[in-house]
Amino acid sequence: MENSYDLSSEAAAGKAFSDQSLTVLGIETSCDETAASVVRLSPDGSAEVLSSIIHSQIEDHQAYGGVVPEIAARSHVEMIEGVAARTMTEAGLGYGELDGVGATAGPGLVGGVMVGLGFGKAVALARGLPFVAVNHLEGHAVSARLGARVDYPFLLLLVSGGHCQLLEVRGIGDMSRLGTTIDDAAGEAFDKIAKAMGLGYPGGPALERLAAAACDGSRFELPRALLGRKDCDFSFSGLKTAASRIAQTLTSDQDRADLADAVQTAIARQLSERSDRAMADYAERHQARTLVVAGGVAANGSVRRVLEETAARRGFGFIAPPMAYCTDNAAMIALAGAERLRLGLVSDIDAPARPRWPLDEARAIADPVHRTGRKGAKA
Ligand code: KG4
Ligand code: ZN
């Protein structure tokens, strides 16, 4: 069949888009948020969010204690058109005024990914716009650039419901993994322990709220993972088992608040210890020293505080995205799409949905022993 979509030439796109502002629609449907956003990327690299709409499906899944893929996909189908229309209205633009469309193509729940990917491609085709298939993790990786000037390269701690990784980010599409989880992701640990404590879904924010009422979290001794190892890998399953066991023995609200505090402290400490090792390693290769944290767990105040202190001790600047862009959103997808468009990295219109899509593919293939940590409620 003849392909009338002729905007996928990378050279042509790169030439056309190198020196102008780019206004891009982003679409995100990889888990339980139906989101759309319009972001304008200036030639100097600064980004302005013109609109960002997020429809959360939390209520649809709460009764099940986690995300149900089929319910998620159906809800995306029902919501995506309206969410996208609202974001265009708020941005004060028509689809024809866009320079491109970016949609999450993975990793994530494939049913949901296909809804947003199909919708994004349809807009691009109908309006003759270039289309970018965006890696959801690359979206998290650039999310801090939505709120501040963050130059490449930087060291990234990506902590979400499905992922826990340390990455050297040299630029869009140019990242290497320094460490990852060997079992659960950090957000997954928050969610599962919160569930064992009867806190409901999503567990991270609920556990943080409960921890605020703690008197003395240090009375609970929780295991410290991979202590003898010198690498930058993470492990949370021992903590999850120990905390869940303790949770069954507690009787008072104060006990539960103290356990929540102990869990939050243990997770924050592990994230900071591994980031500290990664900073030492990274500093051997780079002059510019910035630690960026991204992903849903970056919304946790305790985690931010401990990371900021650790970064300061190493002489690193510390940057976290604005709260609204820590958890899943489409502004980060629009920005990743715009940055790719600027580089001429346009996708083919038949770009597939990829339920698994590591950022550092070479490392993931060479090191299959490491699981990707995508078993959590958000995965
Ligand atoms: O980035 P995100 O929205 O989705 C994924 O791509 O996974 O991250 C969601 C995860 C959930 O595990 C949630 O419990 C966790 O981020 N999270 C938090 C907080 N807010 C969200 N964890 C700890 N403290 C929070 N305040
Ligand atoms: Zn995410």
Side-chain angles (χ1 to χ4, degrees):
M1 196 176 79
E2 194 187 331
N3 184 0
S4 60
Y5 182 83
D6 60 358
L7 292 156
S8 59
S9 154
E10 298 191 356
K15 212 163 136 204
F17 295 126
S18 57
D19 58 358
Q20 65 183 71
S21 277
L22 294 174
T23 305
V24 171
L25 169 68
I27 303 287
E28 159 60 37
T29 56
S30 67
C31 193
D32 60 345
E33 272 94 16
T34 313
S37 168
V38 180
V39 168
R40 183 165 288 154
L41 178 66
S42 297
D44 69 2
S46 61
E48 185 190 356
V49 180
L50 303 186
S51 63
S52 176
I53 304 281
I54 302 174
H55 168 76
S56 169
Q57 304 175 358
I58 282 182
E59 283 176 9
D60 302 341
H61 301 283
Q62 232 147 18
Y64 307 95
V67 179
V68 183
E70 179 61 17
I71 293 175
R74 279 168 189 257
S75 176
H76 288 308
V77 171
E78 285 162 18
M79 300 305 298
I80 186 63
E81 198 181 344
V83 167
R86 268 177 63 205
T87 217
M88 295 305 298
T89 304
E90 277 197 16
L93 296 173
Y95 286 116
E97 293 170 273
L98 295 167
D99 296 307
V101 180
T104 298
L109 299 171
V110 71
V113 169
M114 285 170 69
V115 174
L117 189 60
F119 183 85
K121 287 176 177 178
V123 173
L125 272 175
R127 298 290 169 166
L129 297 167
F131 175 73
V132 184
V134 177
N135 184 317
H136 177 85
L137 302 176
E138 191 164 273
H140 278 302
V142 300
S143 60
R145 292 162 64 81
L146 289 165
R149 191 184 168 106
V150 187
D151 292 328
Y152 296 115
F154 54 82
L155 177 66
L156 173 71
L157 173 65
L158 202 170
V159 269
S160 67
H163 296 269
C164 187
Q165 302 182 8
L166 278 154
L167 293 146
E168 185 173 313
V169 181
R170 292 175 295 271
I172 273 282
D174 184 15
M175 310 183 186
S176 19
R177 194 180 78 191
L178 305 180
T180 187
T181 181
I182 62 168
D183 41 55
D184 295 344
E188 191 177 356
F190 269 112
D191 291 335
K192 288 181 175 171
I193 294 170
K195 194 171 182 179
M197 295 174 71
L199 290 179
Y201 176 83
L207 196 137
E208 182 174 20
R209 279 193 298 275
L210 182 60
C215 279
D216 179 16
S218 65
R219 68 197 176 96
F220 293 112
E221 210 168 308
L222 293 169
R224 298 179 68 176
L226 310 179
L227 262 187
R229 283 171 54 160
K230 296 273 177 276
D231 58 28
C232 301
D233 285 344
F234 303 85
S235 167
F236 294 101
S237 71
L239 172 68
K240 177 186 67 189
T241 307
S244 304
R245 206 171 282 148
I246 294 170
Q248 312 310 319
T249 67
L250 303 183
T251 47
S252 75
D253 285 348
Q254 191 59 60
D255 284 346
R256 284 156 32 85
D258 285 350
L259 179 62
D261 180 57
V263 166
Q264 185 171 263
T265 303
I267 293 176
R269 183 172 58 198
Q270 188 180 152
L271 295 177
S272 115
E273 282 173 0
R274 302 309 195 272
S275 301
D276 191 48
R277 281 183 203 163
M279 281 187 279
D281 177 23
Y282 176 93
E284 289 176 12
R285 290 184 295 280
H286 299 283
Q287 292 295 324
R289 292 171 186 184
T290 309
L291 173 67
V292 173
V293 64
V297 178
N300 185 283
S302 201
V303 167
R304 284 183 181 230
R305 211 163 34 248
V306 176
L307 286 173
E308 187 163 17
E309 286 163 12
T310 308
R313 274 200 302 276
R314 280 269 171 207
F316 271 61
F318 174 74
I319 300 176
M323 284 294 183
Y325 305 130
C326 286
T327 46
D328 287 348
N329 65 87
M332 66 184 194
I333 304 302
L335 178 57
E339 290 197 27
R340 284 197 160 256
L341 197 54
R342 159 126 316 135
L343 296 173
L345 300 173
V346 176
S347 305
D348 286 333
I349 201 67
D350 57 358
R354 297 185 60 180
R356 290 187 180 264
W357 186 3
L359 274 178
D360 181 350
E361 289 195 70
R363 184 77 208 273
I365 291 165
D367 185 14
V369 173
H370 282 78
R371 305 233 305 268
T372 49
R374 289 198 54 257
K375 287 195 306 130
K378 290 287 281 187

